[in-house]
Amino acid sequence: MPLSESDIIQRFFSRDYRGHPNVMLGVGDDAAVLSVPPDKVLAVAVDSMVAGVHFPENLAARDIGYRALAVNLSDLAAMGATPLSATLALTVPEAQEEWLEEFANGFFELAEQYRVALIGGDTTRGPLTVTVEVHGLLPRGRVLKRSGASPGDLVCVTGSLGDAAAGVRLYRGALDAHPARDYLRRRLARPEPRVQAGCDLLGVASAAIDVSDGLLIDLERLTAASGVGAVVELEKLPLSNALAETFPNDARELALTGGDDYELCFTIGNEHMPRLDSLRANWACDCSVIGEIVADSQVICKEEGVVIQLPRHGFDHFRTS
Ligand code: ADP
Ligand code: MG
């Protein structure tokens, strides 16, 4: 017998939320109910992913579930918020048990890691689209925004850049087993939201954004919000060995303009660098200084101290060979 809408919700998306101190009511009623402690405020973000637009059609169901939550937790991380709960609006072409089970397994794998309660959602039929809304807590009066950067602050990024964009290219081909290519595909399929880094940076970083559309675009958003500019030193861009080895000619271009990395790009005053050094020792990722905030409201790139003009289309100048 085909699964009904309520069968799907019951079987795959109703997990015990008791034990989550802020969830008063979860899946099953007309709305969920959250409690927010008086010294906290709620941070809310939502992101939709459409198959073939925001992720490759051949991405495994388990990865789709994981990624849909990961990209949202990344937004909370960029605000310094601690994840609390999520809702899930799922549109699927058909009620395929195996697919739904794998999707839910991927979603809950990450949800359990960060103790995120799935508290509600919506289930509809149509072209595959996954919308997740996340809720996080911030101490009242403290938030990490895009708008706090000032001239002289250092520009930093977590992890490495360009891997996920390389992963997009690799999903277009045969999914052959190869260590470097597996790594790059995994960076697209399983972004690791920098939750620990984001929470630690609250009160330490001056501004932050998560890199979803590409470093240059996202850094421009941060500098525009802050009313400043930035100089990025190209030789300091963190590139993974897998990226440099697989796409030696395009590694830098992918790192500057490729999206989907979900690393944090943040700015920090020099005086906070010792604090950052001790915090980052507990992070599961690297953290690199890639440039500096300047008063002039533009993002420019330098290589060995020389300004490199960024062509509007294409980035041939950045090719290393
Ligand atoms: P309504 O008709 O009031 O919109 P639904 O039948 O859509 O209710 O949903 C019933 C309950 O299941 C609600 O609590 C809703 O939040 C939850 N729900 C529906 N779809 C999902 C889903 N994909 N994941 C989690 N909860 C869901
Ligand atoms: Mg509904």
Side-chain angles (χ1 to χ4, degrees), residues 202 288 318:
L202 193 59
S288 314
F318 298 109

Side-chain angles (χ1 to χ4, degrees), residues 5 121-123:
E5 188 184 318
D122 201 19
T123 306

Side-chain angles (χ1 to χ4, degrees), residues 5 9 13 26-31 88-90 118-123:
E5 188 184 318
I9 298 165
F13 300 115
V27 172
D29 218 308
D30 292 313
L88 165 67
L90 179 63
L118 179 61
I119 59 169
D122 201 19
T123 306

Side-chain angles (χ1 to χ4, degrees), residues 149-151 219-220 222-230 293-299:
S150 347
L219 179 56
E220 265 169 18
L222 183 152
T223 54
S226 297
V228 294
I293 294 295
V294 293
D296 183 39
S297 64
Q298 266 188 58
V299 173

Side-chain angles (χ1 to χ4, degrees), residues 224-274:
S226 297
V228 294
V231 176
V232 174
E233 294 175 55
L234 295 181
E235 58 278 10
K236 293 189 178 165
L237 288 176
L239 306 179
S240 69
N241 291 336
L243 178 67
E245 179 188 311
T246 312
F247 295 103
N249 298 331
D250 306 334
R252 227 176 226 184
E253 177 187 335
L254 290 169
L256 286 171
T257 63
D260 298 323
D261 284 317
Y262 299 101
E263 296 295 349
L264 295 183
C265 175
F266 62 93
T267 59
I268 181 167
N270 243 317
E271 70 281 13
H272 291 304
M273 286 310 277

